[in-house]
Amino acid sequence: MNIRGEIHLTFNNEVRRVSLESQRFTIGRGPENSLCLPVSVVSRAQAEIIRVGDDFLLRDLGSTNGSFVNNARVSEQVLADADVIRFGSNGPELTFRLIENESGEIVSLATHPRNTTAGLMASLSDRLNSPGDVCEEASVRQLLVESHLNKGEHDRALELLAKYTDTANLVPLPAPFRASVMLWLGRVYLESKQIDLAIEALKRSLNFYQQAEADKHDDAGLAAAHAALGRALVNEGDLLAARDQLHRALLSARRAGNVRWQAEAHYLVGKADWKEGDFEGARYNWARAARMAEEAGDALLEGRIQLQEGLVLYTEGRLKEAVPVYQAAIRQIAATGNVRLLLKGYSSLSRVLARLGSWRAMEKLLDERLRLARDHELAKAEAVALTDMAELKLLQGYVAAAEAAVQQAVQLHGKTVYARTQRILGRVLQADHEPALAIEAFEKGLAAARERGAIEEQVLIGFELALAYTESREFDKARQQLETAEAATSLDPALNLMARALFTRGQLHVAANEFNEANRAFSQSLSIFQTIHDPFRTALCHAAIGELRLLQRRPESARAHLEEARAAFAKLGAMVEARRVEAKLATTTLSEVQPAMTAVLPAMGGTAQLTMAHQALTGGLKTMTLPSVQRVLVAVANQDLAAILQRGLEVENYLVERAQDGREAFERATAPAQSYQLLLLDALLEHKSGFDVCRELRKAKRETPVILLGGRQGIEDKIEALQSGADDFLSKRNLVFEELLAKVEALLR
């Protein structure tokens, strides 16, 4: 049956019948469209109707006010006879009709087996076997490419456009077709991480678009090409050139009334803001992008934006907040059928769950990731999932299982995951007491990470190498690796990397018998890990502080930290770490006596000293403690608050003195006759801020623990406090005395 399509509409009191004879029929406010509707509610490029065989597909072109079929907003819809099409909530209405050419009668194809988007894609594939003219073939290939890209099937998309990499196949096409073909080729290269090829193709696309006559510019196409080129340049780190392209994309998208490409441009501007450290600007642009993506009905872009927002929260250490954002992104992406991006979402959520200590949930997610990757033959995604599995098994203490997963990942896709697999392999070798082989693995992984430009992986391997060299007593090499890793950390804003750097430095200080410096590094890393809700590394910090206290002959304090660590490890299922801490705890009962002895002996004569030492060694003296008064200096700008803090601490048997401003606080803290066990400083003190006082104390080699009180609650303030040398930070907003007291006791016990 020979079928044709018609649009029936009433416009300006005139009934019109428009035949859909061309393969691509465009509708919009601009005069370049097949059907021009010059009303404000209609975008310049509103929608298109594409014919494939006897099927007609309506696609919204990212219009401002949307396209509706039978009162339902759609992004694309296979049309059935008598469907009512409307543009905007109260815009022009059109009726789609299917007509048999021979009789002129209207026929209904509502039950046609291809009257679904999936069916239409199958029909398009069939059309490639018997192509019409070169323009129709190019259109069919682009429609199929879009479908495959939306599903994350990059290889299939590239196969469809491969013929156009030969210029001879482009020449027969008119300039607009050449432009759109190169645009899609550039987007496929971009999704495949072939950035150089993507940039080349997108620049050619823009040249073809600009060759069109002035009144026939495809603004929607220009917006798409500028946005895609901007995205490529953002990925390359050329942010100045990227912003220029994204500005052009916004202008073109606004001229076209295309919300979809405005959303994409704002999303990418937000990424550029984020890379430049303008977090407020990034959030603003992403919020705009999210609203526009929802308006345009682009679930895939909504998912991409949510993944980026989740990454921001992860980077800032707001792990619990990141979980629902990642879950929402996964739901959006799953609805699109894009398996690659879905796996990326699962991978991001896995990383958060690992840090939160939700290991069982992570394990279930890993099973699903492996199933999806294997079902769709995505070797790279499977290898990444296996490295995550290996890391989880290491945390749980299953070294053999971790090694098996690592080896399988290398065999599947060694090049992509080589750096990470070597890092995990190095940790496996350390667990097997093979330090030399572990260092070799770390060195190989570091070289691979540098070659790929993977900053976070470089930093993590650098920390592992520093620890490995420390254990091997090669302190110069350890310091060099740590300093290099810390320098790279500045290029990545992830808060957990800062905490890991402090923890590693603490281990190095312990090995060098620099106990005061070690204590500060461990305390600072503990504070960060507690803030970002990382229970495993919080437990590691407690364990490290406990072991340090044992070296300092402070068994009561050691036991408190070690018991905290043991409970956390047991809850997580990190049984190897739990057993190691258990062994350390056993030693605290044997060393209880020594601190009591050192507290008493200076006040006694030589004979008494000898006698008491003998009794202790023979078990005659079990414990002996004397009360000690700990002095705290409080310097808080608000005197009412200072008085409250003083009274609260004095009730807890601390000797509290007050300073009126930063200058006085520094002078008293550094006076030869003064000895404070802790300083409680306001960040906003007069004459010298709390930050400045802390910096100058550390410069003067004063190791007194410091808690800074700030007016804000942001992560940025905590980072500044810790970087100034403070041991912890609390906001004065909604300050809870019990929390302050807990932090004081943690630093002084």
Side-chain angles (χ1 to χ4, degrees):
M1 182 166 54
N2 192 5
I3 302 296
R4 64 185 174 89
E6 283 188 355
I7 289 176
H8 298 182
L9 74 156
T10 302
F11 190 67
N12 291 337
N13 297 319
E14 178 186 353
V15 179
R16 297 171 61 184
R17 297 176 62 175
V18 182
S19 180
L20 303 175
E21 295 181 352
S22 61
Q23 193 268 334
R24 180 175 183 265
F25 186 90
T26 60
I27 305 168
R29 192 175 68 244
E32 67 276 9
N33 291 287
S34 310
L35 175 62
C36 177
L37 298 175
V39 292
S40 60
V41 73
V42 177
S43 295
R44 180 170 174 176
Q46 176 74 33
E48 63 183 1
I49 297 175
I50 300 166
R51 176 168 185 166
V52 183
D54 293 337
D55 298 305
F56 295 82
L57 175 70
L58 172 77
R59 300 176 65 200
D60 185 84
L61 297 174
S63 65
T64 301
N65 296 310
S67 300
F68 297 77
V69 176
N70 301 327
N71 293 319
R73 185 165 181 168
V74 299
S75 56
E76 62 179 41
Q77 177 74 46
V78 179
L79 296 172
D81 180 54
D83 278 346
V84 177
I85 304 167
R86 187 180 76 253
F87 303 120
S89 57
N90 57 354
E93 287 190 355
L94 305 82
T95 303
F96 174 76
R97 305 310 309 258
L98 285 166
I99 299 174
E100 185 180 355
N101 279 339
E102 294 177 1
S103 65
E105 296 178 358
I106 295 175
V107 299
S108 177
L109 295 184
T111 59
H112 195 286
R114 290 199 301 269
N115 199 32
T116 64
T117 302
L120 183 61
M121 292 303 106
S123 178
L124 286 170
S125 297
D126 293 341
R127 294 284 294 178
L128 287 182
N129 298 322
S130 54
D133 62 36
V134 291
C135 292
E136 181 180 352
E137 182 188 352
S139 296
V140 169
R141 288 183 182 274
Q142 289 176 78
L143 283 169
L144 287 169
V145 164
E146 183 173 17
S147 175
H148 288 308
L149 274 189
N150 286 338
K151 296 176 183 176
E153 299 166 349
H154 308 153
D155 293 341
R156 294 183 184 180
L158 189 56
E159 287 173 10
L160 285 161
L161 293 177
K163 69 176 293 180
Y164 300 113
T165 57
D166 185 348
T167 304
N169 292 322
L170 282 175
V171 171
L173 294 171
F177 276 86
R178 277 180 272 166
S180 62
V181 164
M182 295 312 295
L183 167 60
W184 279 108
L185 185 60
R187 291 178 67 182
V188 172
Y189 282 139
L190 191 54
E191 295 296 337
S192 305
K193 310 294 184 189
Q194 301 180 68
I195 305 300
D196 290 343
L197 291 174
I199 290 173
E200 182 185 348
L202 292 167
K203 285 181 176 179
R204 292 185 69 188
S205 173
L206 285 167
N207 287 334
F208 289 137
Y209 275 125
Q210 290 159 359
Q211 289 173 14
E213 298 177 21
D215 63 341
K216 293 184 179 180
H217 274 317
D218 182 352
D219 284 312
L222 276 169
H226 282 304
L229 183 54
R231 182 181 171 189
L233 293 168
V234 168
N235 290 346
E236 285 286 274
D238 190 352
L239 300 184
L240 185 62
R243 288 186 182 278
D244 176 62
Q245 291 298 322
L246 295 173
H247 176 68
R248 294 171 186 268
L250 279 170
L251 291 177
S252 297
R254 287 167 184 161
R255 283 198 303 269
N258 189 299
V259 178
R260 163 67 181 80
W261 289 111
Q262 289 182 63
E264 178 81 12
H266 279 295
Y267 162 66
L268 293 167
V269 171
K271 287 192 72 172
D273 290 337
W274 174 252
K275 289 197 172 190
E276 289 183 334
D278 182 3
F279 304 149
E280 187 175 341
R283 291 188 179 92
Y284 169 78
N285 277 292
W286 288 333
R288 292 196 67 180
R291 288 194 298 271
M292 290 177 173
E294 184 179 8
E295 187 179 332
D298 192 331
L300 195 61
L301 180 56
E302 285 186 78
R304 285 168 57 204
I305 294 167
Q306 287 166 330
L307 284 181
Q308 190 67 38
E309 290 172 340
L311 177 61
V312 171
L313 292 169
Y314 173 85
T315 301
E316 292 180 342
R318 297 157 64 184
L319 302 182
K320 291 184 177 180
E321 295 176 57
V323 172
V325 174
Y326 277 134
Q327 288 172 333
I330 287 167
R331 286 193 296 272
Q332 288 282 4
I333 297 165
T336 71
N338 191 317
V339 177
R340 288 181 187 269
L341 198 59
L342 180 61
L343 284 164
K344 182 179 178 181
Y346 280 151
S347 179
S348 299
L349 182 57
S350 294
R351 182 165 61 167
V352 174
L353 293 174
R355 292 262 308 278
L356 285 171
S358 303
W359 292 354
R360 290 183 181 175
M362 180 188 174
E363 206 157 12
K364 290 181 181 178
L365 200 58
L366 279 167
D367 290 339
E368 177 62 12
R369 287 171 61 188
L370 287 168
R371 184 192 66 77
L372 271 176
R374 288 162 180 168
D375 286 351
H376 291 82
E377 299 179 349
L378 300 172
K380 178 181 175 181
E382 185 181 351
V384 172
L386 283 166
T387 61
D388 284 351
M389 181 70 78
E391 197 141 30
L392 176 60
K393 294 302 180 186
L394 264 181
L395 291 172
Q396 294 171 326
Y398 304 128
V399 179
E403 185 173 9
V406 165
Q407 298 297 354
Q408 193 177 349
V410 171
Q411 292 171 7
L412 275 168
H413 216 280
K415 183 179 179 181
T416 302
V417 298
Y418 188 77
R420 192 173 182 205
T421 52
Q422 289 303 304
R423 172 167 62 84
I424 297 169
L425 182 60
R427 289 173 60 190
V428 168
L429 291 165
Q430 277 187 306
D432 287 336
H433 307 290
E434 297 282 357
L437 293 175
I439 289 172
E440 184 181 345
F442 289 141
E443 292 281 10
K444 289 179 180 177
L446 186 59
R450 285 171 177 165
E451 185 178 345
R452 291 178 57 83
I455 294 173
E456 184 175 0
E457 197 62 49
Q458 290 177 53
V459 172
L460 293 176
I461 296 173
F463 294 159
E464 298 288 359
L465 261 174
L467 288 173
Y469 282 128
T470 299
E471 290 177 12
S472 300
R473 313 297 292 178
E474 298 179 75
F475 296 138
D476 289 341
K477 289 184 178 179
R479 288 191 184 90
Q480 183 182 350
Q481 287 296 335
L482 179 57
E483 288 169 2
T484 303
E486 286 177 327
T489 303
S490 65
L491 303 175
D492 192 309
L495 194 58
N496 76 297
L497 295 184
M498 178 181 176
R500 289 193 183 195
L502 287 165
F503 181 83
T504 307
R505 184 163 289 283
Q507 296 282 27
L508 184 55
H509 285 313
V510 170
N513 293 322
E514 298 165 349
F515 293 165
N516 288 334
E517 293 86 347
N519 186 65
R520 171 156 296 105
F522 288 144
S523 296
Q524 289 179 329
S525 63
L526 174 63
S527 178
I528 297 176
F529 286 131
Q530 287 174 329
T531 300
I532 63 180
H533 306 289
D534 188 331
F536 179 73
R537 299 198 180 279
T538 296
L540 283 180
C541 288
H542 278 299
I545 294 171
E547 293 177 29
L548 176 61
R549 296 288 189 268
L550 285 176
L551 293 172
Q552 295 175 309
R553 298 181 179 181
R554 298 170 59 187
E556 291 184 4
S557 178
R559 185 187 299 110
H561 284 284
L562 291 171
E563 285 179 346
E564 192 89 31
R566 178 179 60 180
F569 287 138
K571 185 178 179 180
L572 289 166
M575 300 317 296
V576 171
E577 293 292 342
R579 286 193 292 270
R580 184 176 68 82
V581 171
E582 190 72 46
K584 291 291 181 181
L585 269 168
T587 67
T588 63
T589 58
L590 300 176
S591 55
E592 283 183 317
V593 177
Q594 188 61 38
M597 296 291 295
T598 56
V600 174
L601 291 180
M604 298 184 176
T607 303
Q609 293 182 44
L610 292 173
T611 303
M612 293 185 68
H614 175 75
Q615 289 177 331
L617 291 171
T618 57
L621 178 66
K622 299 297 182 184
T623 59
M624 188 171 182
T625 59
L626 289 182
S628 60
V629 178
Q630 294 177 303
R631 300 175 70 207
V632 177
L633 179 65
V634 174
V636 178
N638 186 312
Q639 294 305 305
D640 291 336
L641 177 59
I644 293 170
L645 295 175
Q646 180 177 359
R647 285 196 298 272
L649 290 169
E650 286 175 345
V651 168
E652 299 295 329
N653 296 317
Y654 292 97
L655 179 61
V656 180
E657 298 177 18
R658 286 163 60 183
Q660 298 302 308
D661 55 43
R663 185 186 301 155
E664 183 186 349
F666 179 76
E667 289 173 355
R668 295 181 67 170
T670 55
Q674 299 283 11
S675 178
Y676 296 104
Q677 279 68 56
L678 184 130
L679 307 180
L680 189 59
L681 304 178
D682 195 330
L684 302 177
L685 291 170
E686 292 185 354
H687 305 302
K688 275 185 196 292
S689 73
F691 297 118
D692 290 336
V693 172
C694 199
R695 289 191 191 96
E696 291 184 25
L697 283 172
R698 302 309 181 220
K699 193 178 292 184
K701 305 298 182 183
R702 297 296 181 122
E703 306 299 334
T704 310
V706 177
I707 297 177
L708 275 177
L709 301 178
R712 295 176 292 177
Q713 294 177 300
I715 294 294
E716 295 85 357
D717 298 298
K718 184 154 195 168
I719 292 173
E720 185 179 358
L722 296 176
Q723 288 176 338
S724 70
D727 295 88
D728 214 327
F729 174 89
L730 280 173
S731 172
K732 288 183 292 187
R733 292 183 181 178
N734 303 316
L735 179 65
V736 179
F737 181 77
E738 286 75 11
E739 182 183 5
L740 171 65
L741 185 62
K743 291 185 178 292
V744 170
E745 290 175 347
L747 287 169
L748 296 181
R749 67 189 181 188

